[in-house]
Amino acid sequence: MSVIEAKGLNLTFQTNDGPVQALRDVNLTIEKGDFVSFIGPSGCGKTTFLRCIAGLEHPTGGTLSVNGMTPDEARMARAYGYVFQAAGLYPWRTIGRNVALPLEIMGYSKAEQAERVKKTLDLVDLAGFEKKFPWQLSGGMQQRASIARALAFDADILLMDEPFGALDEIVRDKLNEEVLKLWARTEKTIGFVTHSIPEAVYLSTKIVVMSPRPGRITDVIESTLPKERPLDIRDSAEFIAIAHRVREGLRAGHVDD
Amino acid sequence: MSMTKAGPILTVVLAIIALWYFACIPMNVQETLTNIERAGGVVTPETAKDRAEIGRWSLVLQNLDALGGSWSVERARLPSPHQVIKEIYVSTWDEEVNGRRGIVKSGSFSNRSLIYHAGVTMGATVVGFIIGAGFGILLAVGIVYSPTMDRSVMPWAIVSQTIPIVALAPMIIVVLYSVGIGGVIPKAVISAYLSFFPVVVGMVKGLRSPDHMQLDLLRTYNASPSQGFWKLRLPASMPFLFASLKIGIAASLVGAIVGELPVQRGGLGARMLSGSYYGQTDQIWAALFIAALLAAGMVAMIGWIESQTLRRMGMA
């Protein structure tokens, strides 16, 4: 069953320097339970596409459906959780209250809020940090808290826009492993923007390679890696072969320039 | 206050006091020499008429050994620090404890004491500050949420602050008195007029401080505008609000003092003006210092509320 479906999607921004085509003829189907990575150089429209799915940007052409609805309807139905590049936790709220923010807004009862905060903090391995303030946590822990915030209301779709871009390699590896576990446990459909090839290959069931000016899809790679992925799978021949194909796709996009 | 902080402050204070004592010499030289002449002493030039035609510095240089009285001139051009401190003591503690009208003998503060006048000024300041800050916060919310208000109100708020308050204050007082509004209100209106502006500016900046990402986050939750206000914009604005409240309350005090000048019904402003009518410079300076102390106290009070609030919010 397809959760997200884009057909002939176009998006042109009107800027002071004239129109800029951010997305051209994007066609993509994401199935339920897919882990889809969007990879490409800056300006390739990967974040823009994710924001279109979230109803934060509006395509100027083509069709896009999320859970069978328009992106705006899906947003109002709270169909997805969104993780931004920065954790963006409220400094005046404890970790627990930050995770409870969407629940408060969506009108969950106090008891249910407490229960879900506890459950999602356990899920991202932050149990016991509920009463801490964001500044008392490391960058990686803050980003985990922001993932918990996106998971708290249990939407089927999780959209992540370069969530680990600002973190160092070691923390990033650990969080990648955790995201995979999280995905296996929750069976969510995940859209993940990155510009790291190993990250994309390691995480995804489907890798969408994009290229800039105008932003478009140049390759969609179905990963043949097993669902169970220890970190050292990155040294396997299969992994390297997929990474190679991604790199080729990125290079092909650049030759067009 | 830690010692590392107290050291530099103390040094500056001592430097100011030293400079002040030194400045008393040229400032008061005419009066000092006249006092000596009246007491039968000899100074150069001998008559006040001749001395009036010579510059201060050359009078100082010609009478270097006769300047001991520079720091004890009555009605001095520049009273010395200890004269001002004595005046503060006389018009506070001494007046209240030993004076016929003082609180010890009469049960209420003497209308000749600076405590009474500081109280009058503080009342007007606080009332004006509450009106001004409240009005400023409301305006800021309007400006942030309504593009029309943003375009129409902000320029007027800026223009309002370009009018010299000393010119505007008497008009406000005359107009309000003529419609029968007297007492604390006209002064509070002037205070409010001065204090709303920093609050508007700070609060607008504070309410607009959440970045695109934070606003987008709320959109992904499909949050209502009022949820955005109460859960994001208002808490995010708190550090900005307190910074401008501190400026606002100091401006409010200036407004109250300016408002007291034309009315002469008590207050530190009234004290300053009556001091200048009668050449009682030490009285002016004493009132000035009490006003500065009052301002420092009120700013510190806001600072204390700020640190309590921000600590409770986990932001300090």
PDB file of all heavy atoms in Angstrom, chain A residues 51 55 75-76 78 80 84 88 90 92 102 104-105 133 135 149, chain B residues 213-214 216-222 227 231-232 235-236 313-315:
ATOM      1  N   ARG A  51       9.540  18.832   2.640  1.00  0.00           N
ATOM      2  CA  ARG A  51       8.626  19.870   3.137  1.00  0.00           C
ATOM      3  C   ARG A  51       7.306  19.870   2.380  1.00  0.00           C
ATOM      4  O   ARG A  51       6.264  20.222   2.930  1.00  0.00           O
ATOM      5  CB  ARG A  51       9.291  21.244   3.066  1.00  0.00           C
ATOM      6  CG  ARG A  51      10.419  21.426   4.116  1.00  0.00           C
ATOM      7  CD  ARG A  51      11.181  22.719   3.934  1.00  0.00           C
ATOM      8  NE  ARG A  51      10.302  23.885   4.091  1.00  0.00           N
ATOM      9  CZ  ARG A  51      10.003  24.421   5.267  1.00  0.00           C
ATOM     10  NH1 ARG A  51      10.533  23.946   6.365  1.00  0.00           N
ATOM     11  NH2 ARG A  51       9.188  25.461   5.331  1.00  0.00           N
ATOM     12  N   GLY A  55       3.482  19.372   3.847  1.00  0.00           N
ATOM     13  CA  GLY A  55       2.543  20.476   3.690  1.00  0.00           C
ATOM     14  C   GLY A  55       3.121  21.806   4.122  1.00  0.00           C
ATOM     15  O   GLY A  55       2.399  22.768   4.370  1.00  0.00           O
ATOM     16  N   ARG A  75      -1.400  16.974   7.102  1.00  0.00           N
ATOM     17  CA  ARG A  75      -0.803  17.752   8.191  1.00  0.00           C
ATOM     18  C   ARG A  75      -1.851  18.023   9.272  1.00  0.00           C
ATOM     19  O   ARG A  75      -1.606  17.875  10.465  1.00  0.00           O
ATOM     20  CB  ARG A  75      -0.248  19.067   7.640  1.00  0.00           C
ATOM     21  CG  ARG A  75       0.351  19.989   8.687  1.00  0.00           C
ATOM     22  CD  ARG A  75       1.086  21.150   8.047  1.00  0.00           C
ATOM     23  NE  ARG A  75       0.207  22.053   7.324  1.00  0.00           N
ATOM     24  CZ  ARG A  75      -0.527  23.002   7.910  1.00  0.00           C
ATOM     25  NH1 ARG A  75      -0.482  23.164   9.205  1.00  0.00           N
ATOM     26  NH2 ARG A  75      -1.311  23.774   7.180  1.00  0.00           N
ATOM     27  N   MET A  76      -3.059  18.429   8.827  1.00  0.00           N
ATOM     28  CA  MET A  76      -4.098  18.736   9.803  1.00  0.00           C
ATOM     29  C   MET A  76      -4.557  17.480  10.531  1.00  0.00           C
ATOM     30  O   MET A  76      -5.018  17.548  11.669  1.00  0.00           O
ATOM     31  CB  MET A  76      -5.257  19.433   9.114  1.00  0.00           C
ATOM     32  CG  MET A  76      -4.904  20.874   8.786  1.00  0.00           C
ATOM     33  SD  MET A  76      -6.135  21.634   7.729  1.00  0.00           S
ATOM     34  CE  MET A  76      -5.194  22.984   7.046  1.00  0.00           C
ATOM     35  N   ARG A  78      -2.559  15.329  11.422  1.00  0.00           N
ATOM     36  CA  ARG A  78      -1.364  14.957  12.185  1.00  0.00           C
ATOM     37  C   ARG A  78      -0.849  13.575  11.784  1.00  0.00           C
ATOM     38  O   ARG A  78      -0.687  12.668  12.599  1.00  0.00           O
ATOM     39  CB  ARG A  78      -1.659  15.010  13.681  1.00  0.00           C
ATOM     40  CG  ARG A  78      -1.676  16.437  14.183  1.00  0.00           C
ATOM     41  CD  ARG A  78      -2.941  16.823  14.878  1.00  0.00           C
ATOM     42  NE  ARG A  78      -2.896  18.226  15.315  1.00  0.00           N
ATOM     43  CZ  ARG A  78      -3.778  18.770  16.132  1.00  0.00           C
ATOM     44  NH1 ARG A  78      -4.760  18.064  16.620  1.00  0.00           N
ATOM     45  NH2 ARG A  78      -3.685  20.031  16.459  1.00  0.00           N
ATOM     46  N   TYR A  80       2.018  12.858  10.366  1.00  0.00           N
ATOM     47  CA  TYR A  80       3.462  12.615  10.406  1.00  0.00           C
ATOM     48  C   TYR A  80       4.109  13.363  11.570  1.00  0.00           C
ATOM     49  O   TYR A  80       3.582  14.358  12.062  1.00  0.00           O
ATOM     50  CB  TYR A  80       4.110  13.070   9.092  1.00  0.00           C
ATOM     51  CG  TYR A  80       3.988  14.557   8.870  1.00  0.00           C
ATOM     52  CD1 TYR A  80       4.921  15.432   9.431  1.00  0.00           C
ATOM     53  CD2 TYR A  80       2.925  15.093   8.155  1.00  0.00           C
ATOM     54  CE1 TYR A  80       4.796  16.791   9.268  1.00  0.00           C
ATOM     55  CE2 TYR A  80       2.788  16.458   7.985  1.00  0.00           C
ATOM     56  CZ  TYR A  80       3.731  17.298   8.543  1.00  0.00           C
ATOM     57  OH  TYR A  80       3.602  18.648   8.409  1.00  0.00           O
ATOM     58  N   PHE A  84      13.621  18.161  12.620  1.00  0.00           N
ATOM     59  CA  PHE A  84      14.385  19.169  11.882  1.00  0.00           C
ATOM     60  C   PHE A  84      15.878  18.965  12.071  1.00  0.00           C
ATOM     61  O   PHE A  84      16.328  18.181  12.905  1.00  0.00           O
ATOM     62  CB  PHE A  84      13.993  20.566  12.346  1.00  0.00           C
ATOM     63  CG  PHE A  84      12.598  20.958  11.940  1.00  0.00           C
ATOM     64  CD1 PHE A  84      11.508  20.613  12.727  1.00  0.00           C
ATOM     65  CD2 PHE A  84      12.368  21.662  10.765  1.00  0.00           C
ATOM     66  CE1 PHE A  84      10.224  20.964  12.354  1.00  0.00           C
ATOM     67  CE2 PHE A  84      11.085  22.015  10.393  1.00  0.00           C
ATOM     68  CZ  PHE A  84      10.013  21.662  11.183  1.00  0.00           C
ATOM     69  N   GLY A  88      15.947  22.047  18.273  1.00  0.00           N
ATOM     70  CA  GLY A  88      14.913  23.067  18.473  1.00  0.00           C
ATOM     71  C   GLY A  88      14.031  22.797  19.675  1.00  0.00           C
ATOM     72  O   GLY A  88      12.831  23.054  19.648  1.00  0.00           O
ATOM     73  N   TYR A  90      12.511  23.567  23.312  1.00  0.00           N
ATOM     74  CA  TYR A  90      12.261  24.833  24.005  1.00  0.00           C
ATOM     75  C   TYR A  90      13.139  24.881  25.263  1.00  0.00           C
ATOM     76  O   TYR A  90      13.025  24.002  26.121  1.00  0.00           O
ATOM     77  CB  TYR A  90      10.791  24.952  24.422  1.00  0.00           C
ATOM     78  CG  TYR A  90       9.823  25.138  23.279  1.00  0.00           C
ATOM     79  CD1 TYR A  90      10.259  25.185  21.950  1.00  0.00           C
ATOM     80  CD2 TYR A  90       8.462  25.271  23.518  1.00  0.00           C
ATOM     81  CE1 TYR A  90       9.367  25.355  20.916  1.00  0.00           C
ATOM     82  CE2 TYR A  90       7.559  25.444  22.490  1.00  0.00           C
ATOM     83  CZ  TYR A  90       8.009  25.477  21.181  1.00  0.00           C
ATOM     84  OH  TYR A  90       7.128  25.653  20.168  1.00  0.00           O
ATOM     85  N   TRP A  92      12.900  26.567  27.814  1.00  0.00           N
ATOM     86  CA  TRP A  92      12.163  26.783  29.069  1.00  0.00           C
ATOM     87  C   TRP A  92      11.343  25.553  29.462  1.00  0.00           C
ATOM     88  O   TRP A  92      10.606  25.590  30.435  1.00  0.00           O
ATOM     89  CB  TRP A  92      11.249  28.010  28.952  1.00  0.00           C
ATOM     90  CG  TRP A  92      10.292  27.948  27.814  1.00  0.00           C
ATOM     91  CD1 TRP A  92       9.042  27.386  27.812  1.00  0.00           C
ATOM     92  CD2 TRP A  92      10.491  28.464  26.499  1.00  0.00           C
ATOM     93  NE1 TRP A  92       8.479  27.499  26.582  1.00  0.00           N
ATOM     94  CE2 TRP A  92       9.327  28.176  25.754  1.00  0.00           C
ATOM     95  CE3 TRP A  92      11.541  29.156  25.887  1.00  0.00           C
ATOM     96  CZ2 TRP A  92       9.196  28.542  24.409  1.00  0.00           C
ATOM     97  CZ3 TRP A  92      11.395  29.517  24.552  1.00  0.00           C
ATOM     98  CH2 TRP A  92      10.238  29.210  23.829  1.00  0.00           C
ATOM     99  N   PRO A 102       3.691  18.453  21.569  1.00  0.00           N
ATOM    100  CA  PRO A 102       2.655  18.130  20.582  1.00  0.00           C
ATOM    101  C   PRO A 102       1.417  17.531  21.229  1.00  0.00           C
ATOM    102  O   PRO A 102       0.295  17.765  20.755  1.00  0.00           O
ATOM    103  CB  PRO A 102       3.335  17.120  19.653  1.00  0.00           C
ATOM    104  CG  PRO A 102       4.528  16.624  20.381  1.00  0.00           C
ATOM    105  CD  PRO A 102       4.947  17.723  21.300  1.00  0.00           C
ATOM    106  N   GLU A 104       0.174  18.245  24.228  1.00  0.00           N
ATOM    107  CA  GLU A 104      -0.614  19.358  24.779  1.00  0.00           C
ATOM    108  C   GLU A 104      -1.415  20.023  23.676  1.00  0.00           C
ATOM    109  O   GLU A 104      -2.596  20.313  23.814  1.00  0.00           O
ATOM    110  CB  GLU A 104       0.317  20.418  25.391  1.00  0.00           C
ATOM    111  CG  GLU A 104       0.834  20.099  26.760  1.00  0.00           C
ATOM    112  CD  GLU A 104       1.833  21.159  27.224  1.00  0.00           C
ATOM    113  OE1 GLU A 104       1.750  22.305  26.738  1.00  0.00           O
ATOM    114  OE2 GLU A 104       2.702  20.819  28.047  1.00  0.00           O
ATOM    115  N   ILE A 105      -0.710  20.283  22.549  1.00  0.00           N
ATOM    116  CA  ILE A 105      -1.361  20.989  21.451  1.00  0.00           C
ATOM    117  C   ILE A 105      -2.510  20.152  20.887  1.00  0.00           C
ATOM    118  O   ILE A 105      -3.557  20.682  20.518  1.00  0.00           O
ATOM    119  CB  ILE A 105      -0.325  21.344  20.368  1.00  0.00           C
ATOM    120  CG1 ILE A 105       0.566  22.472  20.890  1.00  0.00           C
ATOM    121  CG2 ILE A 105      -0.996  21.734  19.061  1.00  0.00           C
ATOM    122  CD1 ILE A 105       1.765  22.783  20.035  1.00  0.00           C
ATOM    123  N   PHE A 133      16.781  19.876  31.779  1.00  0.00           N
ATOM    124  CA  PHE A 133      16.548  20.893  30.767  1.00  0.00           C
ATOM    125  C   PHE A 133      17.461  20.636  29.569  1.00  0.00           C
ATOM    126  O   PHE A 133      18.526  20.017  29.722  1.00  0.00           O
ATOM    127  CB  PHE A 133      16.793  22.283  31.347  1.00  0.00           C
ATOM    128  CG  PHE A 133      15.630  22.782  32.160  1.00  0.00           C
ATOM    129  CD1 PHE A 133      15.647  22.715  33.544  1.00  0.00           C
ATOM    130  CD2 PHE A 133      14.515  23.302  31.528  1.00  0.00           C
ATOM    131  CE1 PHE A 133      14.562  23.150  34.295  1.00  0.00           C
ATOM    132  CE2 PHE A 133      13.432  23.750  32.263  1.00  0.00           C
ATOM    133  CZ  PHE A 133      13.454  23.670  33.650  1.00  0.00           C
ATOM    134  N   TRP A 135      19.689  22.266  27.936  1.00  0.00           N
ATOM    135  CA  TRP A 135      21.108  22.621  28.019  1.00  0.00           C
ATOM    136  C   TRP A 135      21.911  21.637  28.854  1.00  0.00           C
ATOM    137  O   TRP A 135      23.137  21.637  28.798  1.00  0.00           O
ATOM    138  CB  TRP A 135      21.278  24.041  28.540  1.00  0.00           C
ATOM    139  CG  TRP A 135      20.687  24.308  29.896  1.00  0.00           C
ATOM    140  CD1 TRP A 135      19.433  24.758  30.173  1.00  0.00           C
ATOM    141  CD2 TRP A 135      21.316  24.128  31.177  1.00  0.00           C
ATOM    142  NE1 TRP A 135      19.230  24.859  31.518  1.00  0.00           N
ATOM    143  CE2 TRP A 135      20.371  24.483  32.180  1.00  0.00           C
ATOM    144  CE3 TRP A 135      22.578  23.700  31.591  1.00  0.00           C
ATOM    145  CZ2 TRP A 135      20.644  24.427  33.531  1.00  0.00           C
ATOM    146  CZ3 TRP A 135      22.852  23.643  32.958  1.00  0.00           C
ATOM    147  CH2 TRP A 135      21.898  24.003  33.906  1.00  0.00           C
ATOM    148  N   ARG A 149       9.978  13.633  20.516  1.00  0.00           N
ATOM    149  CA  ARG A 149       8.884  14.594  20.376  1.00  0.00           C
ATOM    150  C   ARG A 149       8.079  14.295  19.102  1.00  0.00           C
ATOM    151  O   ARG A 149       6.861  14.406  19.085  1.00  0.00           O
ATOM    152  CB  ARG A 149       9.479  16.008  20.335  1.00  0.00           C
ATOM    153  CG  ARG A 149       8.467  17.114  20.272  1.00  0.00           C
ATOM    154  CD  ARG A 149       9.142  18.469  20.297  1.00  0.00           C
ATOM    155  NE  ARG A 149      10.087  18.616  19.189  1.00  0.00           N
ATOM    156  CZ  ARG A 149      10.927  19.637  19.044  1.00  0.00           C
ATOM    157  NH1 ARG A 149      10.943  20.606  19.944  1.00  0.00           N
ATOM    158  NH2 ARG A 149      11.735  19.698  18.025  1.00  0.00           N
TER     159      ARG A 149
ATOM    160  N   MET B 213      12.204  27.544  11.895  1.00  0.00           N
ATOM    161  CA  MET B 213      12.102  26.137  12.218  1.00  0.00           C
ATOM    162  C   MET B 213      11.082  25.900  13.339  1.00  0.00           C
ATOM    163  O   MET B 213      10.270  24.988  13.282  1.00  0.00           O
ATOM    164  CB  MET B 213      13.482  25.640  12.646  1.00  0.00           C
ATOM    165  CG  MET B 213      13.639  24.159  12.549  1.00  0.00           C
ATOM    166  SD  MET B 213      14.982  23.677  13.608  1.00  0.00           S
ATOM    167  CE  MET B 213      14.157  23.710  15.178  1.00  0.00           C
ATOM    168  N   GLN B 214      11.139  26.780  14.367  1.00  0.00           N
ATOM    169  CA  GLN B 214      10.231  26.595  15.495  1.00  0.00           C
ATOM    170  C   GLN B 214       8.788  26.857  15.096  1.00  0.00           C
ATOM    171  O   GLN B 214       7.883  26.201  15.586  1.00  0.00           O
ATOM    172  CB  GLN B 214      10.648  27.513  16.637  1.00  0.00           C
ATOM    173  CG  GLN B 214      12.073  27.191  17.071  1.00  0.00           C
ATOM    174  CD  GLN B 214      12.307  27.439  18.519  1.00  0.00           C
ATOM    175  OE1 GLN B 214      12.253  28.571  18.963  1.00  0.00           O
ATOM    176  NE2 GLN B 214      12.564  26.397  19.262  1.00  0.00           N
ATOM    177  N   ASP B 216       7.664  26.428  11.991  1.00  0.00           N
ATOM    178  CA  ASP B 216       7.298  25.275  11.154  1.00  0.00           C
ATOM    179  C   ASP B 216       6.913  24.077  12.007  1.00  0.00           C
ATOM    180  O   ASP B 216       5.977  23.345  11.686  1.00  0.00           O
ATOM    181  CB  ASP B 216       8.472  24.883  10.240  1.00  0.00           C
ATOM    182  CG  ASP B 216       8.533  25.741   8.990  1.00  0.00           C
ATOM    183  OD1 ASP B 216       7.531  26.429   8.706  1.00  0.00           O
ATOM    184  OD2 ASP B 216       9.575  25.737   8.310  1.00  0.00           O
ATOM    185  N   LEU B 217       7.657  23.888  13.102  1.00  0.00           N
ATOM    186  CA  LEU B 217       7.368  22.755  13.992  1.00  0.00           C
ATOM    187  C   LEU B 217       5.913  22.817  14.461  1.00  0.00           C
ATOM    188  O   LEU B 217       5.195  21.821  14.427  1.00  0.00           O
ATOM    189  CB  LEU B 217       8.319  22.781  15.188  1.00  0.00           C
ATOM    190  CG  LEU B 217       8.120  21.639  16.191  1.00  0.00           C
ATOM    191  CD1 LEU B 217       8.562  20.310  15.600  1.00  0.00           C
ATOM    192  CD2 LEU B 217       8.881  21.900  17.482  1.00  0.00           C
ATOM    193  N   LEU B 218       5.480  24.022  14.844  1.00  0.00           N
ATOM    194  CA  LEU B 218       4.094  24.161  15.306  1.00  0.00           C
ATOM    195  C   LEU B 218       3.111  23.909  14.159  1.00  0.00           C
ATOM    196  O   LEU B 218       2.029  23.384  14.381  1.00  0.00           O
ATOM    197  CB  LEU B 218       3.864  25.549  15.913  1.00  0.00           C
ATOM    198  CG  LEU B 218       4.545  25.776  17.265  1.00  0.00           C
ATOM    199  CD1 LEU B 218       4.177  27.133  17.826  1.00  0.00           C
ATOM    200  CD2 LEU B 218       4.151  24.683  18.262  1.00  0.00           C
ATOM    201  N   ARG B 219       3.511  24.286  12.947  1.00  0.00           N
ATOM    202  CA  ARG B 219       2.623  24.007  11.805  1.00  0.00           C
ATOM    203  C   ARG B 219       2.477  22.512  11.592  1.00  0.00           C
ATOM    204  O   ARG B 219       1.408  22.037  11.217  1.00  0.00           O
ATOM    205  CB  ARG B 219       3.165  24.673  10.535  1.00  0.00           C
ATOM    206  CG  ARG B 219       2.820  26.156  10.465  1.00  0.00           C
ATOM    207  CD  ARG B 219       3.341  26.768   9.186  1.00  0.00           C
ATOM    208  NE  ARG B 219       2.672  26.262   7.994  1.00  0.00           N
ATOM    209  CZ  ARG B 219       3.189  26.357   6.770  1.00  0.00           C
ATOM    210  NH1 ARG B 219       4.362  26.910   6.582  1.00  0.00           N
ATOM    211  NH2 ARG B 219       2.516  25.906   5.741  1.00  0.00           N
ATOM    212  N   THR B 220       3.582  21.747  11.815  1.00  0.00           N
ATOM    213  CA  THR B 220       3.453  20.304  11.630  1.00  0.00           C
ATOM    214  C   THR B 220       2.494  19.703  12.650  1.00  0.00           C
ATOM    215  O   THR B 220       1.937  18.650  12.414  1.00  0.00           O
ATOM    216  CB  THR B 220       4.806  19.554  11.727  1.00  0.00           C
ATOM    217  OG1 THR B 220       5.252  19.570  13.082  1.00  0.00           O
ATOM    218  CG2 THR B 220       5.862  20.164  10.831  1.00  0.00           C
ATOM    219  N   TYR B 221       2.291  20.378  13.781  1.00  0.00           N
ATOM    220  CA  TYR B 221       1.312  19.902  14.758  1.00  0.00           C
ATOM    221  C   TYR B 221      -0.075  20.485  14.477  1.00  0.00           C
ATOM    222  O   TYR B 221      -0.998  20.233  15.241  1.00  0.00           O
ATOM    223  CB  TYR B 221       1.698  20.315  16.187  1.00  0.00           C
ATOM    224  CG  TYR B 221       3.050  19.865  16.654  1.00  0.00           C
ATOM    225  CD1 TYR B 221       3.782  20.634  17.545  1.00  0.00           C
ATOM    226  CD2 TYR B 221       3.588  18.656  16.221  1.00  0.00           C
ATOM    227  CE1 TYR B 221       5.025  20.223  17.988  1.00  0.00           C
ATOM    228  CE2 TYR B 221       4.833  18.244  16.656  1.00  0.00           C
ATOM    229  CZ  TYR B 221       5.555  19.023  17.536  1.00  0.00           C
ATOM    230  OH  TYR B 221       6.776  18.627  17.975  1.00  0.00           O
ATOM    231  N   ASN B 222      -0.160  21.308  13.439  1.00  0.00           N
ATOM    232  CA  ASN B 222      -1.403  22.011  13.158  1.00  0.00           C
ATOM    233  C   ASN B 222      -1.868  22.800  14.386  1.00  0.00           C
ATOM    234  O   ASN B 222      -3.036  22.785  14.762  1.00  0.00           O
ATOM    235  CB  ASN B 222      -2.492  21.017  12.716  1.00  0.00           C
ATOM    236  CG  ASN B 222      -3.679  21.715  12.100  1.00  0.00           C
ATOM    237  OD1 ASN B 222      -3.539  22.813  11.552  1.00  0.00           O
ATOM    238  ND2 ASN B 222      -4.847  21.113  12.202  1.00  0.00           N
ATOM    239  N   GLN B 227      -2.256  28.898  20.468  1.00  0.00           N
ATOM    240  CA  GLN B 227      -1.286  27.953  21.038  1.00  0.00           C
ATOM    241  C   GLN B 227       0.133  28.403  20.724  1.00  0.00           C
ATOM    242  O   GLN B 227       1.029  28.303  21.557  1.00  0.00           O
ATOM    243  CB  GLN B 227      -1.529  26.541  20.485  1.00  0.00           C
ATOM    244  CG  GLN B 227      -2.766  25.879  21.072  1.00  0.00           C
ATOM    245  CD  GLN B 227      -3.108  24.575  20.379  1.00  0.00           C
ATOM    246  OE1 GLN B 227      -2.901  24.406  19.179  1.00  0.00           O
ATOM    247  NE2 GLN B 227      -3.658  23.636  21.139  1.00  0.00           N
ATOM    248  N   LYS B 231       2.423  29.028  23.911  1.00  0.00           N
ATOM    249  CA  LYS B 231       3.434  27.994  24.127  1.00  0.00           C
ATOM    250  C   LYS B 231       4.801  28.353  23.558  1.00  0.00           C
ATOM    251  O   LYS B 231       5.805  27.854  24.024  1.00  0.00           O
ATOM    252  CB  LYS B 231       2.948  26.663  23.528  1.00  0.00           C
ATOM    253  CG  LYS B 231       1.747  26.127  24.284  1.00  0.00           C
ATOM    254  CD  LYS B 231       1.415  24.708  23.914  1.00  0.00           C
ATOM    255  CE  LYS B 231       0.067  24.302  24.472  1.00  0.00           C
ATOM    256  NZ  LYS B 231       0.023  24.306  25.951  1.00  0.00           N
ATOM    257  N   LEU B 232       4.829  29.206  22.543  1.00  0.00           N
ATOM    258  CA  LEU B 232       6.126  29.523  21.938  1.00  0.00           C
ATOM    259  C   LEU B 232       6.505  30.999  22.060  1.00  0.00           C
ATOM    260  O   LEU B 232       7.502  31.339  22.690  1.00  0.00           O
ATOM    261  CB  LEU B 232       6.137  29.096  20.458  1.00  0.00           C
ATOM    262  CG  LEU B 232       7.403  29.466  19.683  1.00  0.00           C
ATOM    263  CD1 LEU B 232       8.630  28.830  20.302  1.00  0.00           C
ATOM    264  CD2 LEU B 232       7.276  29.042  18.214  1.00  0.00           C
ATOM    265  N   PRO B 235       6.653  32.661  25.959  1.00  0.00           N
ATOM    266  CA  PRO B 235       7.825  32.258  26.759  1.00  0.00           C
ATOM    267  C   PRO B 235       9.146  32.683  26.122  1.00  0.00           C
ATOM    268  O   PRO B 235      10.072  33.075  26.836  1.00  0.00           O
ATOM    269  CB  PRO B 235       7.722  30.731  26.838  1.00  0.00           C
ATOM    270  CG  PRO B 235       6.478  30.323  26.168  1.00  0.00           C
ATOM    271  CD  PRO B 235       5.783  31.503  25.629  1.00  0.00           C
ATOM    272  N   ALA B 236       9.217  32.630  24.785  1.00  0.00           N
ATOM    273  CA  ALA B 236      10.473  32.999  24.120  1.00  0.00           C
ATOM    274  C   ALA B 236      10.782  34.478  24.311  1.00  0.00           C
ATOM    275  O   ALA B 236      11.936  34.901  24.260  1.00  0.00           O
ATOM    276  CB  ALA B 236      10.395  32.664  22.637  1.00  0.00           C
ATOM    277  N   MET B 313      11.733  29.049  34.818  1.00  0.00           N
ATOM    278  CA  MET B 313      11.507  28.562  33.450  1.00  0.00           C
ATOM    279  C   MET B 313      12.662  27.683  32.983  1.00  0.00           C
ATOM    280  O   MET B 313      12.604  27.118  31.894  1.00  0.00           O
ATOM    281  CB  MET B 313      11.362  29.747  32.496  1.00  0.00           C
ATOM    282  CG  MET B 313      10.082  30.541  32.689  1.00  0.00           C
ATOM    283  SD  MET B 313      10.094  32.040  31.676  1.00  0.00           S
ATOM    284  CE  MET B 313       9.822  31.349  30.056  1.00  0.00           C
ATOM    285  N   GLY B 314      13.735  27.618  33.795  1.00  0.00           N
ATOM    286  CA  GLY B 314      14.871  26.794  33.399  1.00  0.00           C
ATOM    287  C   GLY B 314      15.800  27.490  32.429  1.00  0.00           C
ATOM    288  O   GLY B 314      16.631  26.866  31.800  1.00  0.00           O
ATOM    289  N   MET B 315      15.645  28.809  32.293  1.00  0.00           N
ATOM    290  CA  MET B 315      16.446  29.536  31.300  1.00  0.00           C
ATOM    291  C   MET B 315      17.615  30.291  31.916  1.00  0.00           C
ATOM    292  O   MET B 315      18.317  31.002  31.208  1.00  0.00           O
ATOM    293  CB  MET B 315      15.561  30.517  30.528  1.00  0.00           C
ATOM    294  CG  MET B 315      14.609  29.818  29.590  1.00  0.00           C
ATOM    295  SD  MET B 315      13.275  30.901  29.100  1.00  0.00           S
ATOM    296  CE  MET B 315      13.990  31.688  27.675  1.00  0.00           C
TER     297      MET B 315
END
